Amino acid sequence: MKVKIIENATKTAVKTKITEARIKTILPTITDAWRFNFRKNSKGKNSNTYILTANNSPNQIEGCLIIITENRFQDYMAFVEVAPHNRGENRKHDRVAGCLIAFACRQSYINGKEGYLAFDVLEENEDDEMKLMELYSRKYHAVRLGESKTMIIIPEGSEKLIDEYLKF
């Protein structure tokens, strides 16, 4: 799927695509300065791994996503992460996470889950978890389920994300 992210230095749109990782794709790991080991976690049953790459640098992964489809009510976003160079104040690109999350919402429709997407927010300390949950609520229309660390994006939020990040 074709999407656009923004190069921060020039504020210009960068043509990118989200594709399913192939068997020969070298997925990022913790030793590559990523927080998650996508190489290891992509081997799960009923899981699909997707990568976001720029058309002008197709061998550099800008973001990665793993969706688990075994639940009959909603898809589960097991892992989503932007590349280390796309984090923090000096990040190279914006909109990477939004494109991946919107793509996961779209996949929920394709998989017959009507736009429902669940995920857990797990950080080392509780303050960081709360900050991240607030970000997911504000920016990605996620709703926290009770007092748990589980959040869900319902169809209305999925539609908003798809419109904002996937349609251009």
Side-chain angles (χ1 to χ4, degrees):
M1 162 167 257
K2 294 178 184 179
V3 295
K4 287 184 183 176
I5 59 176
I6 303 297
E7 183 178 353
N8 278 329
T10 62
K11 301 296 183 208
T12 58
V14 177
K15 292 180 181 178
T16 59
K17 61 184 173 184
I18 299 173
T19 56
E20 190 162 6
R22 308 238 184 265
I23 293 172
K24 293 184 179 186
T25 303
I26 299 173
L27 293 170
T29 69
I30 294 169
T31 58
D32 302 322
W34 288 62
R35 294 185 62 212
F36 303 117
N37 186 341
F38 285 92
R39 203 171 301 160
K40 174 185 168 192
N41 292 311
S42 68
K43 299 179 186 337
K45 184 180 178 186
N46 297 320
S47 70
N48 298 332
T49 303
Y50 301 93
I51 57 172
L52 187 149
T53 56
N55 293 0
N56 60 2
S57 56
N59 294 323
Q60 182 174 19
I61 296 174
E62 302 297 338
C64 202
L65 165 72
I66 297 176
I67 302 171
I68 298 174
T69 60
E70 66 189 17
N71 185 303
R72 65 182 204 163
F73 300 109
Q74 79 268 332
D75 282 350
Y76 181 78
M77 185 171 62
F79 299 94
V80 63
E81 184 176 0
V82 300
H85 60 267
N86 290 326
R87 285 189 230 137
E89 290 181 25
N90 297 319
R91 64 187 166 272
K92 184 175 179 180
H93 297 108
D94 270 333
R95 295 177 46 95
V96 176
C99 287
L100 289 168
I101 295 167
F103 178 83
C105 291
R106 179 180 172 271
Q107 290 302 108
S108 172
Y109 282 106
I110 290 170
N111 294 333
K113 311 294 176 50
E114 300 178 9
Y116 288 93
L117 180 70
F119 58 95
D120 288 302
V121 176
L122 302 172
E123 292 293 319
E124 288 186 23
N125 72 56
E126 192 173 331
D127 286 344
D128 288 342
E129 281 180 354
M130 296 308 290
K131 287 177 187 174
L132 195 52
M133 284 186 205
E134 176 3 70
L135 174 77
Y136 278 121
S137 293
R138 181 177 33 81
K139 194 168 182 177
Y140 304 118
H141 313 288
V143 178
R144 185 175 180 187
L145 295 181
E147 295 299 313
S148 72
K149 297 176 184 189
T150 301
M151 299 191 83
I152 190 162
I153 300 174
I154 61 173
E156 180 181 324
S158 289
E159 287 295 329
K160 288 178 183 177
L161 290 171
I162 290 167
D163 286 343
E164 181 178 350
Y165 290 98
L166 302 183
K167 294 181 179 177
F168 53 90

